[in-house]
């Protein structure tokens, strides 16, 4: 493959990211603009100043952020489900693939990597917060504004819609183009890891903040591994769902037993990520030619 073609496939991967961000922006603008217009008109009639209008609008946005996230999640599915099917070789569901994807061993791997990533990442984040709380101020504010763990709509978006949409976007479509970009190098394992790093990087950028971007990159690598290991986006969707569900729905309960100590956070975080790495090493990778993906 020529260098130009490789650059073209990489460009397609980046286009996937830009398309996903564009859907987010358009959906947000469509929801927010009418409210902003109505708030401005009402303020003009009541003689309110600009500062008051801005404060009222920000308060309203906080109350509907969960609904915005749901709308974004649905639109992403509407865009990327057909893109994945028609643009990525029309993946088929076969009996053999379903048995492999939903085998007890596969589900055990999914749960193990999800739990390991969740405890590993969240404990290390808590470690950073304990040692240098100012480093995570923007991240904490972002989570509060999104309503994750508090608002029912936001939880539905994070636990159900995000795993479906983001796996189609990054492990489905973006990864497909990334693998096209590195195909023909003669080393399947190297090809996989280069493509996997590219789609994980795009996944990190998609989150649009440094803290989330760093740990989303790590999560993206693991979910890309699941895609390659089982030749399906479904294990990644399940792992993503478990990870987000643990944080959004059961966070306080799952972490209440951990002593509030930097040493404990460091220990449990390291053990969690080490468990993920061990599962990946012992579970191995498979490189089979012409194997159909599970949609």
């Amino acid at each position: 493959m020529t260098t130009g073609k490789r650059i073209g496939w990489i460009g397609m991967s980046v286009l996937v990211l830009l398309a996903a961000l564009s859907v987010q922006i358009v959906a947000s603008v469509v929801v927010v603009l009418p409210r902003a217009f109505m708030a401005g008109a009402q303020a003009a009639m009541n003689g309110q100043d600009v500062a008051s209008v801005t404060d009222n609008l920000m308060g309203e946005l906080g109350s509907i952020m969960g609904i915005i996230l749901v709308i974004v999640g649905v639109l992403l599915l509407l865009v990327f489900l057909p893109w994945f099917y028609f643009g990525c070789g029309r993946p088929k569901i076969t009996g053999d693939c379903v048995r492999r994807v939903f085998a007890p061993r596969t589900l055990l791997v999914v749960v193990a990597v999800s739990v390991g990533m969740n405890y590993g990442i969240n404990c290390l984040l808590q470690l950073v917060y304990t040692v240098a709380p100012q480093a995570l101020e923007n991240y904490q504010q972002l989570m509060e504004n999104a309503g994750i763990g508090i608002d029912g709509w936001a939880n539905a978006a994070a636990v159900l819609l995000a795993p479906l949409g983001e796996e189609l976007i990054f492990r489905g479509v973006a990864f497909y183009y990334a693998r096209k970009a590195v195909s023909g190098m003669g080393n399947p394992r190297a090809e996989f890891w280069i493509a996997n790093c590219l789609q994980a990087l795009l996944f990190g950028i998609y989150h649009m903040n440094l803290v989330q971007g760093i740990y989303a990159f790590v999560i993206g690598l693991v979910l890309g591994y699941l895609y390659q290991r089982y030749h399906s986006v479904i294990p990644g969707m399940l792992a993503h769902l478990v990870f987000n569900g643990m944080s959004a729905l059961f966070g306080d309960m799952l972490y209440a037993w951990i002593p509030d100590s930097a040493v404990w956070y460091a220990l449990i975080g390291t053990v969690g990520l080490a468990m993920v790495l061990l599962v990946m090493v012992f579970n191995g990778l498979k490189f089979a030619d012409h194997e159909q993906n599970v949609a």
Side-chain angles (χ1 to χ4, degrees):
M1 183 185 297
T2 65
T3 301
K5 286 185 177 181
R6 293 191 190 280
I7 293 174
W9 287 120
I10 293 173
M12 289 297 295
S13 296
V14 175
L15 178 63
V16 172
L17 169 65
L18 296 178
L21 291 175
S22 297
V23 170
Q24 283 198 350
I25 293 170
V26 169
S28 300
V29 168
V30 167
V31 174
V32 171
L33 269 186
R35 286 181 171 267
F37 178 79
M38 292 175 62
Q42 186 174 7
M45 290 187 294
N46 295 335
Q48 291 179 297
D49 57 24
V50 176
S52 299
V53 175
T54 302
D55 290 341
N56 293 337
L57 182 59
M58 293 304 295
E60 286 189 17
L61 287 180
S63 66
I64 65 169
M65 184 57 68
I67 296 175
I68 294 175
L69 292 175
V70 168
I71 293 173
V72 168
V74 171
L75 288 178
L76 288 173
L77 284 176
L78 291 176
V79 171
F80 284 96
L81 185 58
W83 191 342
F84 177 61
Y85 181 75
F86 292 106
C88 301
R90 298 200 180 189
K92 296 179 181 179
I93 297 178
T94 66
D96 179 64
C97 290
V98 171
R99 285 189 292 271
R100 180 177 66 249
V101 167
F102 291 100
R105 177 187 172 92
T106 305
L107 297 179
L108 181 61
V109 168
V110 165
V111 171
V113 299
S114 304
V115 172
M117 283 195 300
N118 193 279
Y119 272 99
I121 289 171
N122 282 298
C123 282
L124 293 180
L125 282 176
Q126 191 60 41
L127 171 64
V128 174
Y129 184 76
T130 301
V131 175
Q134 69 280 0
L136 294 181
E137 285 181 359
N138 291 337
Y139 171 73
Q140 297 280 26
Q141 188 63 48
L142 179 67
M143 292 297 100
E144 291 177 10
N145 292 342
I148 305 298
I150 302 171
D151 180 74
W153 289 105
N155 288 342
V159 177
L160 297 176
L161 293 174
L164 298 177
E166 290 176 4
E167 292 312 301
L168 286 173
I169 295 166
F170 295 100
R171 263 60 67 184
V173 183
F175 199 12
Y176 174 83
Y177 293 133
R179 286 180 297 150
K180 287 279 190 183
V182 299
S183 65
M185 293 176 60
N187 187 332
R189 192 170 296 272
E191 291 176 9
F192 161 71
W193 282 111
I194 294 172
N196 198 31
C197 286
L198 176 57
Q199 66 81 18
L201 176 62
L202 296 175
F203 184 52
I205 295 172
Y206 176 74
H207 287 80
M208 299 299 289
N209 72 88
L210 182 61
V211 174
Q212 252 189 316
I214 291 172
Y215 73 70
F217 174 76
V218 176
I219 294 171
L221 290 177
V222 177
L223 297 178
Y225 161 83
L226 290 177
Y227 181 92
Q228 178 64 39
R229 177 61 177 80
Y230 300 105
H231 296 278
S232 169
V233 294
I234 295 175
M237 289 177 174
L238 296 175
H240 203 150
L241 186 153
V242 173
F243 180 94
N244 285 7
M246 288 177 66
S247 297
L249 305 179
F250 306 106
D252 294 339
M253 183 190 310
L254 292 174
Y255 293 93
W257 62 273
I258 302 175
D260 189 13
S261 164
V263 174
W264 278 100
Y265 291 134
L267 177 62
I268 296 172
T270 302
V271 169
L273 294 182
M275 182 177 76
V276 175
L277 182 60
L278 287 174
V279 169
M280 293 169 62
V281 169
F282 286 105
N283 197 44
L285 273 171
K286 287 188 176 180
F287 301 96
D289 294 332
H290 309 299
E291 185 164 358
Q292 291 285 353
N293 298 327
V294 178

